[in-house]
Amino acid sequence: MTVLKSILLFGVAALLEIGGAWMVWQGIREHRGWLWVGAGAIALGLYGFVATLQPDANFGRILAAYGGVFVAGSLAWAMLVDGFRPDRWDIAGAVIALVGVGLIMYGPRSA
């Protein structure tokens, strides 16, 4: 159950961080206005909060593992929201990043 909770938290964190950054991008680069920027800043702050809910207490481990989630999540976001089509190298990189997440977060540890 702890692994499932961790995976769900990574998913929520990814939605908040990637979505928040996208909203800031839209507000500034696409001239959608400061409400978009503000909403993005709030989402980014909530991402930081959600990361603290991970069952593992090691900040460095959580942030390092989340980096891999961010790689794959960013490509997924781009596909769903922006119509981006990843090539085989994008996909291979995302798979490698997610394998890294699995090793960092869920690999066996000595007590």
Side-chain angles (χ1 to χ4, degrees):
M1 193 58 147
T2 302
V3 172
L4 179 60
K5 177 181 178 184
S6 174
I7 291 169
L8 290 173
L9 286 169
F10 276 133
V12 171
L15 286 173
L16 289 168
E17 187 185 16
I18 297 164
W22 183 82
M23 286 189 284
V24 170
W25 179 283
Q26 293 296 308
I28 301 295
R29 301 241 349 191
E30 303 299 326
H31 309 288
R32 293 199 174 177
W34 289 103
L35 285 177
W36 282 76
V37 174
I42 290 168
L44 289 166
L46 289 172
Y47 148 75
F49 174 77
V50 168
T52 69
L53 302 176
Q54 281 288 347
D56 191 300
N58 296 291
F59 172 78
R61 181 176 294 144
I62 299 300
L63 203 58
Y66 178 70
V69 173
F70 183 80
V71 168
S74 295
L75 291 172
W77 181 279
M79 289 171 53
L80 294 171
V81 176
D82 291 330
F84 174 74
R85 294 292 162 234
D87 63 22
R88 63 183 173 166
W89 300 109
D90 295 323
I91 293 167
V95 168
I96 291 168
L98 290 174
V99 168
V101 171
L103 292 172
I104 292 168
M105 286 300 296
Y106 313 118
R109 305 248 184 262
S110 59

